[in-house]
Amino acid sequence: MSNEEQDTRASGSVPNAFGNVLAWTWMPNMPASLKRSNLHTLLYTLRAIANADGTLRYRDTRRPFSLQAIAKAAGADPKDARDRLEAAVRAGVVKAVGERRKGRSVLYVLAPIPAPDWAAAAAYLDGVKALREDARQKRKTERKVAPWADEKGGRSPELESTEKGGPPPELEGIDRDSERGTAPYPRKGDRPLTGWGDRPPYTPGGYPWGSHDGAEVVPQPQVVAAPEEPSDHQEHPHDTAPPPARAAPPKSDPADHTTWPTCPVCDRRIMPDPRRPDRRVHARCEPRLTAERTAS
């Protein structure tokens, strides 16, 4: 044991008197709330690290112990150590020497008085605990309430941009009373058709353009115009007029379903396929059309 430790533990030193009065007088009379706050643990730590004259500062530099150093020695959080030090000051068992300013270490001195004011220390710690509990409840409430809602409730904000989410755009030039678009088949079992339009197989991720690759192309029957009646000014009555040129089928517009071709078997619209612009019969209707032509 060094000479400095012997001086601290000597019978006439301040830490020795502080430890005796803490163990034999203060602890039996200390309120239970202060014991639950571990005030006595901090007081025992101060007694162990204090100098022989009761001051809490380094022996070599004579600088006061910082709050972080005291909290580390007591194994406590710096905030809790600060609150317990203030409670000890209010009880009178620790003295703060000099001006107390933020960011500057305060010199604390042990004061082994016979009758501390434990009520003042308990009132201070209870007030600090209540303030922290109110702040915690306020933060909890702010996390639950949406930022746009007021005290009496409110509605969610309107989205200014529909880039991510929002209602679908309104398409112009669509007849609401005409035939509808396509709908997917159910994944299991069969069901009766409940609307207009063809129903391609259900394939998540988009329209199955490649589902009809193996189907045979059946040309759409063309209506041949009747021969024109010969006019009076024709020189050769036996000569007939040349047949009119076959009109090309109208080009289908994917955005306008009224331009889509009609299947001759099911009499429903056929969604245009960029890879097969000449398709005029549904793939599922081609076997039926072939059977009808074979039977006829």
Side-chain angles (χ1 to χ4, degrees):
M1 183 179 294
S2 63
N3 295 332
E4 295 178 352
E5 293 178 349
Q6 291 178 0
D7 294 340
T8 302
R9 299 174 181 270
S11 59
S13 63
V14 175
N16 182 69
F18 188 88
N20 291 334
V21 71
L22 173 61
W24 299 105
T25 305
W26 293 349
M27 285 299 297
N29 299 322
M30 184 179 294
S33 60
L34 295 181
K35 294 179 181 178
R36 288 193 298 267
S37 300
N38 292 326
L39 177 61
H40 61 288
T41 303
L42 177 67
L43 295 180
Y44 277 118
T45 302
L46 297 181
R47 182 258 181 191
I49 64 177
N51 296 320
D53 56 355
T55 58
L56 296 170
R57 58 184 173 186
Y58 298 100
R59 296 185 177 92
D60 51 354
T61 61
R62 310 300 294 175
R63 295 179 56 184
F65 289 144
S66 62
L67 178 62
Q68 288 75 12
I70 296 176
K72 186 176 181 180
D77 183 80
K79 293 182 179 180
D80 296 335
R82 179 188 58 195
D83 295 337
R84 295 166 191 171
L85 269 175
E86 181 63 25
V89 172
R90 292 174 181 261
V93 297
V94 175
K95 302 294 183 181
V97 180
E99 184 180 2
R100 304 172 66 183
R101 294 185 301 177
K102 185 177 181 180
R104 183 177 179 181
S105 299
V106 181
L107 177 61
Y108 293 100
V109 181
L110 302 182
I113 61 177
D117 190 358
W118 299 127
Y124 173 78
L125 291 179
D126 291 343
V128 170
K129 183 178 180 181
L131 289 176
R132 290 185 178 177
E133 182 65 21
D134 293 343
R136 189 182 67 85
Q137 292 294 339
K138 184 178 180 181
R139 290 193 300 268
K140 184 177 179 181
T141 304
E142 290 176 352
R143 286 195 300 266
K144 288 184 177 180
V145 178
W148 59 80
D150 52 16
E151 295 179 357
K152 297 182 180 180
R155 58 179 301 179
S156 60
E158 298 293 337
L159 298 178
E160 298 179 358
S161 173
T162 58
E163 180 179 356
K164 297 181 179 179
E170 294 291 338
L171 300 179
E172 300 180 357
I174 294 181
D175 187 3
R176 299 293 182 181
D177 299 331
S178 62
E179 295 184 1
R180 301 181 183 177
T182 60
Y185 274 128
R187 285 177 288 180
K188 294 183 180 179
D190 298 327
R191 64 174 181 180
L193 302 179
T194 57
W196 299 289
D198 56 306
R199 296 176 178 270
Y202 175 75
T203 304
Y207 184 80
W209 296 110
S211 60
H212 309 298
D213 292 344
E216 180 183 359
V217 179
V218 180
Q220 176 72 20
Q222 302 294 331
V223 179
V224 181
E228 298 181 356
E229 295 294 335
S231 58
D232 297 338
H233 65 278
Q234 289 180 345
E235 296 180 359
H236 304 282
H238 297 287
D239 297 337
T240 59
R246 178 180 299 179
K251 187 176 181 181
S252 300
D253 184 6
D256 186 3
H257 68 279
T258 59
T259 62
W260 297 357
T262 304
C263 179
V265 178
C266 62
D267 198 23
R268 291 189 173 89
R269 299 285 184 178
I270 302 175
M271 179 177 291
D273 189 344
R275 297 176 296 180
R276 298 188 56 187
D278 56 344
R279 184 163 63 92
R280 295 295 180 269
V281 180
H282 289 124
R284 68 171 184 272
C285 296
E286 290 180 359
R288 180 179 172 184
L289 179 62
T290 303
E292 292 178 356
R293 288 184 177 181
T294 304
S296 62

